[in-house]
Amino acid sequence: MLHGRQIIIVGMGRVGRLVVENMRRERTITVIDTSAERLALVPDEVGQIRVQKIHGDATSRLVLNKADLDRHSVLIVVTGDDAVNQEVARLARGEHGTEEIVALVDNVDGLDAIGLTSTDVIQRHPATAALVHEVAGDNELAV
């Protein structure tokens, strides 16, 4: 899915930084956040990964244009705000034709109205529970 494709990550909180830190292949990724402080926590390089940082609101078409979002991009939206995540995904799908979108959300109601399907989203609480389960090990935690 990701080989040779531009990756854009919106939201540089803990989850967004974790995604950046776990990228494996040599590439340049673009990260977007409204907070200069959170962007400053992201290194300019992670191994062979080069990180382009954009300070701005990804619900703005101008910011998404600056990131060169297009139909071939892979968009990962992991802010702490469902409304922001859904709006960024809606703009990406509707305005830029982006096909590969992963959005972290709590509420999956109404996704079809904004052009998303259940394959485009990861529900925040089950994803967190699965991560805790993986870290704690099978014998120590029943999720």
Side-chain angles (χ1 to χ4, degrees), residues 23-68:
M23 290 285 165
R24 299 278 185 238
R25 297 178 190 239
E26 181 178 341
R27 67 176 77 242
T28 299
I29 61 173
T30 301
V31 298
I32 303 170
D33 202 286
T34 56
S35 167
E37 291 81 19
R38 283 191 298 265
L39 284 173
L41 295 174
V42 180
D44 294 330
E45 292 187 2
V46 179
Q48 297 182 355
I49 309 290
R50 290 169 307 287
V51 181
Q52 173 191 351
K53 302 174 189 178
I54 298 175
H55 179 226
D57 183 348
T59 62
S60 163
R61 288 178 179 90
L62 297 173
V63 171
L64 294 179
N65 288 341
K66 185 175 182 180
D68 292 326

Tab-separated table of all heavy atoms in Angstrom, residues 23-68:
chain	number	residue	atom	x	y	z
A	23	MET	N	7.704	4.393	10.687
A	23	MET	CA	7.873	4.258	9.242
A	23	MET	C	9.194	3.535	8.992
A	23	MET	O	10.189	3.808	9.650
A	23	MET	CB	7.899	5.627	8.566
A	23	MET	CG	6.577	6.339	8.567
A	23	MET	SD	5.507	5.591	7.344
A	23	MET	CE	3.943	6.259	7.851
A	24	ARG	N	9.220	2.646	8.030
A	24	ARG	CA	10.390	1.815	7.820
A	24	ARG	C	11.193	2.149	6.560
A	24	ARG	O	12.397	2.106	6.571
A	24	ARG	CB	9.980	0.337	7.740
A	24	ARG	CG	9.317	-0.141	9.000
A	24	ARG	CD	10.362	-0.503	10.029
A	24	ARG	NE	9.722	-1.080	11.200
A	24	ARG	CZ	9.841	-0.582	12.406
A	24	ARG	NH1	10.548	0.478	12.621
A	24	ARG	NH2	9.247	-1.163	13.410
A	25	ARG	N	10.546	2.410	5.463
A	25	ARG	CA	11.255	2.581	4.192
A	25	ARG	C	11.799	3.988	4.025
A	25	ARG	O	11.260	4.935	4.578
A	25	ARG	CB	10.323	2.281	3.027
A	25	ARG	CG	9.849	0.864	3.013
A	25	ARG	CD	8.899	0.658	1.872
A	25	ARG	NE	8.286	-0.636	2.014
A	25	ARG	CZ	8.366	-1.585	1.113
A	25	ARG	NH1	9.009	-1.375	0.005
A	25	ARG	NH2	7.791	-2.737	1.313
A	26	GLU	N	12.828	4.084	3.200
A	26	GLU	CA	13.383	5.396	2.884
A	26	GLU	C	12.332	6.177	2.101
A	26	GLU	O	11.815	5.701	1.094
A	26	GLU	CB	14.651	5.252	2.041
A	26	GLU	CG	15.274	6.576	1.710
A	26	GLU	CD	16.552	6.415	0.911
A	26	GLU	OE1	17.133	5.324	0.920
A	26	GLU	OE2	16.939	7.399	0.289
A	27	ARG	N	12.020	7.344	2.567
A	27	ARG	CA	11.005	8.174	1.916
A	27	ARG	C	10.979	9.541	2.565
A	27	ARG	O	11.608	9.770	3.589
A	27	ARG	CB	9.618	7.543	2.004
A	27	ARG	CG	9.076	7.502	3.438
A	27	ARG	CD	7.662	6.970	3.537
A	27	ARG	NE	7.636	5.528	3.418
A	27	ARG	CZ	7.014	4.872	2.438
A	27	ARG	NH1	6.363	5.509	1.520
A	27	ARG	NH2	7.031	3.565	2.395
A	28	THR	N	10.230	10.430	1.962
A	28	THR	CA	9.917	11.711	2.581
A	28	THR	C	8.442	11.671	2.936
A	28	THR	O	7.619	11.272	2.121
A	28	THR	CB	10.198	12.885	1.626
A	28	THR	OG1	11.581	12.877	1.298
A	28	THR	CG2	9.835	14.210	2.259
A	29	ILE	N	8.129	12.053	4.158
A	29	ILE	CA	6.728	12.148	4.550
A	29	ILE	C	6.443	13.594	4.912
A	29	ILE	O	7.341	14.366	5.233
A	29	ILE	CB	6.384	11.207	5.721
A	29	ILE	CG1	7.195	11.555	6.967
A	29	ILE	CG2	6.579	9.759	5.325
A	29	ILE	CD1	6.786	10.766	8.190
A	30	THR	N	5.184	13.950	4.829
A	30	THR	CA	4.745	15.295	5.194
A	30	THR	C	3.867	15.180	6.422
A	30	THR	O	2.973	14.328	6.476
A	30	THR	CB	3.956	15.938	4.036
A	30	THR	OG1	4.795	15.983	2.881
A	30	THR	CG2	3.492	17.336	4.397
A	31	VAL	N	4.144	16.026	7.417
A	31	VAL	CA	3.313	16.057	8.618
A	31	VAL	C	2.697	17.448	8.749
A	31	VAL	O	3.325	18.445	8.411
A	31	VAL	CB	4.106	15.664	9.886
A	31	VAL	CG1	4.623	14.239	9.774
A	31	VAL	CG2	5.244	16.613	10.172
A	32	ILE	N	1.466	17.475	9.223
A	32	ILE	CA	0.724	18.733	9.365
A	32	ILE	C	0.162	18.812	10.776
A	32	ILE	O	-0.410	17.842	11.280
A	32	ILE	CB	-0.449	18.804	8.351
A	32	ILE	CG1	0.050	18.654	6.921
A	32	ILE	CG2	-1.238	20.111	8.531
A	32	ILE	CD1	-1.072	18.483	5.897
A	33	ASP	N	0.308	19.980	11.396
A	33	ASP	CA	-0.305	20.201	12.701
A	33	ASP	C	-0.532	21.695	12.894
A	33	ASP	O	0.193	22.514	12.326
A	33	ASP	CB	0.572	19.661	13.834
A	33	ASP	CG	-0.235	19.396	15.104
A	33	ASP	OD1	-0.612	20.358	15.792
A	33	ASP	OD2	-0.495	18.213	15.382
A	34	THR	N	-1.524	22.034	13.699
A	34	THR	CA	-1.806	23.438	14.009
A	34	THR	C	-0.875	23.978	15.080
A	34	THR	O	-0.805	25.181	15.293
A	34	THR	CB	-3.261	23.617	14.495
A	34	THR	OG1	-3.468	22.760	15.623
A	34	THR	CG2	-4.257	23.275	13.397
A	35	SER	N	-0.151	23.087	15.753
A	35	SER	CA	0.718	23.490	16.857
A	35	SER	C	2.186	23.457	16.450
A	35	SER	O	2.730	22.383	16.148
A	35	SER	CB	0.502	22.553	18.055
A	35	SER	OG	1.520	22.730	19.009
A	36	ALA	N	2.833	24.606	16.501
A	36	ALA	CA	4.275	24.674	16.224
A	36	ALA	C	5.043	23.875	17.270
A	36	ALA	O	6.071	23.266	16.962
A	36	ALA	CB	4.731	26.124	16.201
A	37	GLU	N	4.537	23.845	18.504
A	37	GLU	CA	5.211	23.109	19.572
A	37	GLU	C	5.208	21.609	19.291
A	37	GLU	O	6.216	20.925	19.496
A	37	GLU	CB	4.547	23.392	20.932
A	37	GLU	CG	4.754	24.812	21.434
A	37	GLU	CD	3.789	25.828	20.797
A	37	GLU	OE1	2.736	25.411	20.260
A	37	GLU	OE2	4.115	27.018	20.814
A	38	ARG	N	4.071	21.077	18.842
A	38	ARG	CA	4.013	19.645	18.518
A	38	ARG	C	4.886	19.329	17.312
A	38	ARG	O	5.559	18.296	17.286
A	38	ARG	CB	2.569	19.202	18.284
A	38	ARG	CG	1.788	19.022	19.580
A	38	ARG	CD	0.466	18.330	19.354
A	38	ARG	NE	-0.432	19.071	18.496
A	38	ARG	CZ	-1.386	19.888	18.913
A	38	ARG	NH1	-1.572	20.074	20.208
A	38	ARG	NH2	-2.156	20.514	18.060
A	39	LEU	N	4.896	20.210	16.315
A	39	LEU	CA	5.763	19.978	15.151
A	39	LEU	C	7.236	19.972	15.548
A	39	LEU	O	8.031	19.215	14.990
A	39	LEU	CB	5.521	21.040	14.078
A	39	LEU	CG	4.249	20.884	13.253
A	39	LEU	CD1	4.044	22.096	12.361
A	39	LEU	CD2	4.279	19.609	12.430
A	40	ALA	N	7.595	20.803	16.510
A	40	ALA	CA	8.986	20.868	16.954
A	40	ALA	C	9.432	19.558	17.614
A	40	ALA	O	10.630	19.250	17.638
A	40	ALA	CB	9.178	22.035	17.920
A	41	LEU	N	8.503	18.778	18.131
A	41	LEU	CA	8.830	17.496	18.751
A	41	LEU	C	9.143	16.406	17.719
A	41	LEU	O	9.676	15.357	18.064
A	41	LEU	CB	7.679	17.026	19.644
A	41	LEU	CG	7.381	17.897	20.861
A	41	LEU	CD1	6.122	17.397	21.565
A	41	LEU	CD2	8.562	17.914	21.807
A	42	VAL	N	8.798	16.669	16.469
A	42	VAL	CA	9.030	15.698	15.398
A	42	VAL	C	10.403	15.977	14.794
A	42	VAL	O	10.669	17.083	14.332
A	42	VAL	CB	7.938	15.814	14.303
A	42	VAL	CG1	8.194	14.808	13.192
A	42	VAL	CG2	6.551	15.625	14.898
A	43	PRO	N	11.290	14.965	14.780
A	43	PRO	CA	12.615	15.198	14.193
A	43	PRO	C	12.532	15.413	12.681
A	43	PRO	O	11.576	14.980	12.043
A	43	PRO	CB	13.376	13.914	14.525
A	43	PRO	CG	12.340	12.893	14.825
A	43	PRO	CD	11.114	13.622	15.292
A	44	ASP	N	13.536	16.085	12.119
A	44	ASP	CA	13.574	16.312	10.676
A	44	ASP	C	13.880	15.032	9.910
A	44	ASP	O	13.558	14.920	8.729
A	44	ASP	CB	14.618	17.378	10.319
A	44	ASP	CG	14.236	18.746	10.862
A	44	ASP	OD1	13.022	19.025	10.986
A	44	ASP	OD2	15.146	19.536	11.163
A	45	GLU	N	14.495	14.083	10.581
A	45	GLU	CA	14.787	12.776	9.992
A	45	GLU	C	14.581	11.704	11.045
A	45	GLU	O	14.903	11.892	12.205
A	45	GLU	CB	16.220	12.708	9.472
A	45	GLU	CG	16.471	13.590	8.280
A	45	GLU	CD	17.860	13.378	7.690
A	45	GLU	OE1	18.619	12.519	8.193
A	45	GLU	OE2	18.176	14.081	6.725
A	46	VAL	N	14.039	10.570	10.605
A	46	VAL	CA	13.887	9.405	11.454
A	46	VAL	C	14.481	8.248	10.662
A	46	VAL	O	13.860	7.751	9.727
A	46	VAL	CB	12.403	9.120	11.793
A	46	VAL	CG1	12.281	7.878	12.652
A	46	VAL	CG2	11.752	10.316	12.469
A	47	GLY	N	15.698	7.866	10.995
A	47	GLY	CA	16.382	6.862	10.185
A	47	GLY	C	16.568	7.413	8.782
A	47	GLY	O	17.165	8.476	8.601
A	48	GLN	N	16.010	6.724	7.801
A	48	GLN	CA	16.108	7.167	6.412
A	48	GLN	C	14.874	7.951	5.966
A	48	GLN	O	14.710	8.232	4.786
A	48	GLN	CB	16.333	5.970	5.492
A	48	GLN	CG	17.636	5.266	5.777
A	48	GLN	CD	17.865	4.107	4.822
A	48	GLN	OE1	17.020	3.771	4.016
A	48	GLN	NE2	19.030	3.500	4.923
A	49	ILE	N	14.034	8.288	6.910
A	49	ILE	CA	12.818	9.036	6.617
A	49	ILE	C	13.106	10.530	6.758
A	49	ILE	O	13.591	10.977	7.791
A	49	ILE	CB	11.683	8.665	7.605
A	49	ILE	CG1	11.476	7.157	7.692
A	49	ILE	CG2	10.400	9.411	7.259
A	49	ILE	CD1	10.882	6.508	6.500
A	50	ARG	N	12.802	11.286	5.731
A	50	ARG	CA	12.902	12.744	5.791
A	50	ARG	C	11.499	13.289	6.056
A	50	ARG	O	10.531	12.866	5.421
A	50	ARG	CB	13.459	13.291	4.481
A	50	ARG	CG	14.939	12.951	4.300
A	50	ARG	CD	15.443	13.246	2.908
A	50	ARG	NE	14.694	12.665	1.802
A	50	ARG	CZ	14.694	11.365	1.465
A	50	ARG	NH1	15.391	10.506	2.174
A	50	ARG	NH2	14.002	10.936	0.439
A	51	VAL	N	11.404	14.238	6.978
A	51	VAL	CA	10.104	14.755	7.401
A	51	VAL	C	9.962	16.214	6.979
A	51	VAL	O	10.753	17.066	7.364
A	51	VAL	CB	9.941	14.639	8.939
A	51	VAL	CG1	8.577	15.167	9.375
A	51	VAL	CG2	10.136	13.195	9.394
A	52	GLN	N	8.938	16.473	6.160
A	52	GLN	CA	8.577	17.842	5.793
A	52	GLN	C	7.449	18.258	6.738
A	52	GLN	O	6.459	17.542	6.877
A	52	GLN	CB	8.090	17.905	4.350
A	52	GLN	CG	7.550	19.259	3.975
A	52	GLN	CD	6.829	19.251	2.629
A	52	GLN	OE1	6.852	18.289	1.880
A	52	GLN	NE2	6.179	20.354	2.335
A	53	LYS	N	7.599	19.409	7.385
A	53	LYS	CA	6.615	19.862	8.362
A	53	LYS	C	5.836	21.049	7.821
A	53	LYS	O	6.421	21.967	7.246
A	53	LYS	CB	7.315	20.273	9.656
A	53	LYS	CG	8.128	19.170	10.287
A	53	LYS	CD	8.901	19.694	11.474
A	53	LYS	CE	9.877	18.653	11.973
A	53	LYS	NZ	10.677	19.151	13.101
A	54	ILE	N	4.516	21.003	8.012
A	54	ILE	CA	3.656	22.122	7.630
A	54	ILE	C	2.861	22.552	8.853
A	54	ILE	O	2.118	21.751	9.435
A	54	ILE	CB	2.705	21.741	6.481
A	54	ILE	CG1	3.508	21.367	5.234
A	54	ILE	CG2	1.727	22.876	6.190
A	54	ILE	CD1	2.664	20.860	4.082
A	55	HIS	N	3.030	23.811	9.239
A	55	HIS	CA	2.277	24.373	10.355
A	55	HIS	C	1.008	24.967	9.764
A	55	HIS	O	1.056	25.928	8.997
A	55	HIS	CB	3.114	25.443	11.058
A	55	HIS	CG	2.402	26.082	12.203
A	55	HIS	ND1	2.380	27.432	12.387
A	55	HIS	CD2	1.688	25.548	13.228
A	55	HIS	CE1	1.685	27.704	13.472
A	55	HIS	NE2	1.257	26.576	13.992
A	56	GLY	N	-0.135	24.380	10.100
A	56	GLY	CA	-1.389	24.893	9.571
A	56	GLY	C	-2.551	23.979	9.898
A	56	GLY	O	-2.394	22.914	10.480
A	57	ASP	N	-3.720	24.417	9.481
A	57	ASP	CA	-4.974	23.712	9.720
A	57	ASP	C	-5.302	22.867	8.499
A	57	ASP	O	-5.595	23.401	7.426
A	57	ASP	CB	-6.082	24.745	9.981
A	57	ASP	CG	-7.415	24.125	10.301
A	57	ASP	OD1	-7.587	22.893	10.121
A	57	ASP	OD2	-8.311	24.870	10.726
A	58	ALA	N	-5.267	21.555	8.651
A	58	ALA	CA	-5.494	20.654	7.520
A	58	ALA	C	-6.934	20.661	7.021
A	58	ALA	O	-7.213	20.081	5.975
A	58	ALA	CB	-5.074	19.236	7.883
A	59	THR	N	-7.848	21.336	7.733
A	59	THR	CA	-9.195	21.479	7.195
A	59	THR	C	-9.235	22.591	6.154
A	59	THR	O	-10.274	22.833	5.551
A	59	THR	CB	-10.245	21.757	8.295
A	59	THR	OG1	-9.938	22.993	8.938
A	59	THR	CG2	-10.290	20.624	9.308
A	60	SER	N	-8.107	23.241	5.933
A	60	SER	CA	-7.989	24.279	4.907
A	60	SER	C	-7.494	23.665	3.602
A	60	SER	O	-6.483	22.954	3.588
A	60	SER	CB	-6.999	25.361	5.361
A	60	SER	OG	-6.583	26.138	4.268
A	61	ARG	N	-8.190	23.955	2.532
A	61	ARG	CA	-7.761	23.472	1.209
A	61	ARG	C	-6.350	23.954	0.889
A	61	ARG	O	-5.572	23.261	0.248
A	61	ARG	CB	-8.728	23.940	0.140
A	61	ARG	CG	-10.061	23.252	0.174
A	61	ARG	CD	-10.991	23.816	-0.897
A	61	ARG	NE	-12.263	23.147	-0.874
A	61	ARG	CZ	-13.301	23.537	-0.148
A	61	ARG	NH1	-13.199	24.602	0.639
A	61	ARG	NH2	-14.426	22.873	-0.190
A	62	LEU	N	-6.011	25.178	1.313
A	62	LEU	CA	-4.685	25.738	1.041
A	62	LEU	C	-3.584	24.895	1.685
A	62	LEU	O	-2.534	24.670	1.082
A	62	LEU	CB	-4.604	27.186	1.522
A	62	LEU	CG	-5.541	28.175	0.838
A	62	LEU	CD1	-5.466	29.528	1.525
A	62	LEU	CD2	-5.202	28.288	-0.634
A	63	VAL	N	-3.822	24.434	2.903
A	63	VAL	CA	-2.822	23.617	3.600
A	63	VAL	C	-2.685	22.264	2.908
A	63	VAL	O	-1.570	21.779	2.691
A	63	VAL	CB	-3.173	23.467	5.094
A	63	VAL	CG1	-2.279	22.452	5.776
A	63	VAL	CG2	-3.071	24.819	5.786
A	64	LEU	N	-3.791	21.653	2.534
A	64	LEU	CA	-3.716	20.372	1.834
A	64	LEU	C	-3.043	20.532	0.470
A	64	LEU	O	-2.292	19.657	0.038
A	64	LEU	CB	-5.106	19.750	1.689
A	64	LEU	CG	-5.762	19.326	3.003
A	64	LEU	CD1	-7.148	18.748	2.743
A	64	LEU	CD2	-4.893	18.332	3.764
A	65	ASN	N	-3.290	21.656	-0.197
A	65	ASN	CA	-2.607	21.919	-1.469
A	65	ASN	C	-1.103	22.066	-1.250
A	65	ASN	O	-0.298	21.566	-2.042
A	65	ASN	CB	-3.154	23.180	-2.141
A	65	ASN	CG	-4.538	22.984	-2.715
A	65	ASN	OD1	-4.982	21.864	-2.938
A	65	ASN	ND2	-5.236	24.082	-2.938
A	66	LYS	N	-0.715	22.751	-0.185
A	66	LYS	CA	0.706	22.934	0.131
A	66	LYS	C	1.385	21.590	0.377
A	66	LYS	O	2.562	21.405	0.058
A	66	LYS	CB	0.855	23.839	1.356
A	66	LYS	CG	2.275	24.186	1.695
A	66	LYS	CD	2.340	25.181	2.846
A	66	LYS	CE	3.767	25.560	3.159
A	66	LYS	NZ	3.845	26.523	4.262
A	67	ALA	N	0.643	20.631	0.901
A	67	ALA	CA	1.173	19.289	1.155
A	67	ALA	C	1.203	18.435	-0.109
A	67	ALA	O	1.654	17.295	-0.073
A	67	ALA	CB	0.346	18.600	2.235
A	68	ASP	N	0.719	18.978	-1.225
A	68	ASP	CA	0.658	18.251	-2.503
A	68	ASP	C	-0.182	16.983	-2.423
A	68	ASP	O	0.131	15.967	-3.038
A	68	ASP	CB	2.069	17.908	-3.016
A	68	ASP	CG	2.848	19.144	-3.421
A	68	ASP	OD1	2.227	20.099	-3.919
A	68	ASP	OD2	4.078	19.148	-3.234
